Amino acid sequence: MKRFLLFILLFSVLVSGIKFFDLIILTTTLANSLYLASIGTIILYLILSIRFKVKLTTFDKGILVFYLGLIINIFVMLLYSNLTLYKTFFGTLNLLGFFFYFFLKRLKPDTKTVLQIIIVLSFIVSILMLAQQVVKPFPLFNHLLEHENFLVQRGTVRARIPGMAFVVISCLYYIELYFQKFKLKHIILSLFFYVIIILQGFRSITLAISLCIFILYFSSIKKRSFFSVRNLQFILILLIAVIGILQIPYIQGIINGILEAQKNTVEIGSENIRINAAIYYLIEIKKHLWMYITGNGLALPFKTPDGLFAVDLGIWGFYSLAGLVPTIGLLWLLWKGYCLSPDKFMKLFFLYMLMNAFLFNAEVLRTGIFYIYSVMFYLLEEKNSNLNDHHKY
């Protein structure tokens, strides 16, 4: 019973934190209110359960550096811009999700509970993505209208569904699980999640997850067992599944749209919209040299003439607004996540995020992603702790 209640509590706080309730049938105000309630619940609990003698872990230190940089950014912007404390607070609100990591450390859920939450949310997100494809061009989420992130092109609905990173985690998790238990259902589930990711129609995301799957596959093959029955079974099932998926006209349209977009990008060359946006954010709006250190301010409503926000440039846009210290802190956290992960699916999730960060993709900074990072940091530490305890005995 206690484990079930803990599951419900964590699930509720998490779905509110990633703005799952921003559905079109509800209101943006409700989604924002639940997000504030999520952050408020976390901070209140942390204050009530505060500990003064705590040994800082790797991620504790990285998160503290990250927030120290944000404090510097906020302080400088309040002094040298027209921003009010109110606007500054709401401009940085999305970045408070790292507090969920400390919340998890206080509650200490077991790894099985955390994995169950990830998988349940992956299926919910997948169902919403499929539903979005069915009801297009009608958007299911309010933010798809407000931030011009809802486009029907490349043969699909290019929509950012909250919590899509959970689908990436589950896709990689089930592939690794197959090489541990060799069950057909794990391949089917991983392919299902892979198709959901492709349905977004984003080139860099498709490239990053495909590369991660490729690495996961070859890293899971034991030496001298390439031609083993189970390995050949995996290759055969995968080929049949991929060929079958590619025969679906809807999927063909998405793949052709992605390839056509890439062709157009190559032909355009220096006129690429993201290159122009990078020049705008990294050079044109920098009025003072110290802004290359402190950033221009996260609460400022910067937008390029082509309609791109800084977040659309991934880590480059984040650096432009947040400054050097938070950017180094975030990259260091993702890199440490990659280096310290005991499981391949976790390691490759962090690699996936690092690739998207440098490929001018907003995935690394999407609403709620800091909650998801927190989940993975906690899961990583718990698994490493369990491994260390096992080795002692």
Side-chain angles (χ1 to χ4, degrees):
M1 186 66 179
K2 182 180 178 181
R3 188 167 176 267
F4 175 73
L5 292 175
L6 182 59
F7 179 95
I8 296 299
L9 172 62
L10 292 176
F11 185 87
S12 301
V13 173
L14 187 54
V15 295
S16 299
I18 61 178
K19 293 194 176 179
F20 231 68
F21 297 103
D22 191 31
L23 293 166
I24 202 77
I25 58 173
L26 303 175
T27 63
T28 300
T29 302
L30 175 63
N32 290 336
S33 299
L34 288 172
Y35 181 83
L36 286 171
S38 173
I39 290 292
T41 300
I42 292 170
I43 293 176
L44 178 62
Y45 182 81
L46 292 176
I47 292 173
L48 293 175
S49 61
I50 193 167
R51 299 172 186 173
F52 294 99
K53 293 183 179 181
V54 178
K55 183 180 179 181
L56 295 179
T57 66
T58 298
F59 296 112
D60 291 334
K61 296 172 185 176
I63 291 172
L64 288 174
V65 169
F66 178 83
Y67 282 129
L68 175 62
L70 285 185
I71 292 171
I72 294 171
N73 177 272
I74 291 169
F75 180 73
V76 172
M77 290 306 105
L78 287 174
L79 286 178
Y80 295 100
S81 71
N82 295 322
L83 291 176
T84 62
L85 186 60
Y86 175 83
K87 287 184 177 180
T88 303
F89 171 74
F90 279 96
T92 57
L93 198 57
N94 182 43
L95 305 179
L96 299 181
F98 275 144
F99 282 104
F100 190 60
Y101 164 75
F102 301 108
F103 187 66
L104 288 168
K105 288 181 68 173
R106 291 288 188 273
L107 292 175
K108 297 290 288 185
D110 57 80
T111 57
K112 185 178 180 181
T113 299
V114 176
L115 279 170
Q116 285 176 341
I117 292 173
I118 291 173
I119 292 168
V120 169
L121 282 172
S122 298
F123 278 107
I124 295 174
V125 172
S126 299
I127 291 169
L128 286 172
M129 189 63 186
L130 291 173
Q132 182 62 85
Q133 302 295 323
V134 173
V135 302
K136 68 178 182 184
F138 182 79
L140 289 180
F141 291 88
N142 291 303
H143 74 273
L144 297 179
L145 287 177
E146 294 173 4
H147 297 293
E148 302 173 5
N149 246 338
F150 185 78
L151 297 170
V152 182
Q153 57 180 221
R154 300 180 189 173
T156 186
V157 177
R158 299 182 66 211
R160 306 277 188 180
I161 304 295
M164 186 58 72
F166 284 126
V167 178
V168 173
I169 296 167
S170 293
C171 177
L172 297 170
Y173 171 71
Y174 279 114
I175 293 176
E176 182 174 5
L177 202 59
Y178 170 79
F179 284 102
Q180 294 173 357
K181 299 185 177 181
F182 298 100
K183 292 184 178 180
L184 179 61
K185 66 179 181 180
H186 296 146
I187 300 179
I188 295 172
L189 286 169
S190 64
L191 283 170
F192 169 71
F193 289 126
Y194 181 63
V195 170
I196 296 299
I197 296 166
I198 291 178
L199 284 177
Q200 295 178 96
F202 295 104
R203 287 167 291 165
S204 57
I205 288 176
T206 302
L207 172 64
I209 188 61
S210 299
L211 183 58
C212 286
I213 291 173
F214 182 82
I215 295 171
L216 179 55
Y217 168 68
F218 280 99
S219 64
S220 298
I221 299 173
K222 295 180 180 179
K223 292 181 179 179
R224 301 179 182 178
S225 65
F226 185 82
F227 294 103
S228 66
V229 174
R230 286 174 171 173
N231 190 46
L232 291 175
Q233 179 189 41
F234 176 83
I235 296 173
L236 181 62
I237 294 172
L238 192 64
L239 284 174
I240 293 172
V242 170
I243 292 171
I245 291 170
L246 291 176
Q247 299 310 305
I248 302 173
Y250 194 79
I251 299 296
Q252 285 181 352
I254 296 172
I255 299 298
N256 290 335
I258 291 174
L259 293 175
E260 185 64 28
Q262 182 60 35
K263 180 182 177 183
N264 292 338
T265 298
V266 172
E267 290 176 352
I268 292 172
S270 62
E271 294 299 315
N272 185 286
I273 186 173
R274 292 191 185 275
I275 298 298
N276 290 336
I279 294 171
Y280 175 80
Y281 281 111
L282 297 175
I283 298 175
E284 292 182 9
I285 65 172
K286 300 293 183 184
K287 297 179 180 179
H288 306 283
L289 285 176
W290 50 261
M291 286 184 173
Y292 284 95
I293 304 296
T294 64
N296 283 73
L298 285 158
L300 295 177
F302 285 120
K303 188 176 181 181
T304 69
D306 294 318
L308 276 185
F309 290 93
V311 68
D312 295 311
L313 296 178
I315 202 69
W316 308 103
F318 182 71
Y319 159 68
S320 174
L321 300 187
L324 191 61
V325 177
T327 303
I328 292 174
L330 178 57
L331 289 175
W332 187 81
L333 284 166
L334 294 177
W335 175 248
K336 280 297 180 181
Y338 171 79
C339 294
L340 299 177
S341 292
D343 295 330
K344 292 173 184 175
F345 82 92
M346 299 173 69
K347 186 180 288 289
L348 288 168
F349 166 73
F350 287 112
L351 179 62
Y352 166 84
M353 281 300 172
L354 283 167
M355 283 192 285
N356 277 296
F358 290 102
L359 287 173
F360 296 97
N361 193 285
E363 196 73 4
V364 73
L365 296 168
R366 282 292 163 193
T367 299
I369 194 65
F370 291 93
Y371 274 80
I372 300 174
Y373 291 151
S374 297
V375 170
M376 295 303 286
F377 292 155
Y378 174 78
L379 187 61
L380 182 161
E381 285 190 341
E382 282 299 294
K383 280 181 169 285
N384 279 334
S385 176
N386 292 339
L387 285 173
N388 291 334
D389 290 341
H390 177 76
H391 290 321
K392 287 179 182 178
Y393 300 98

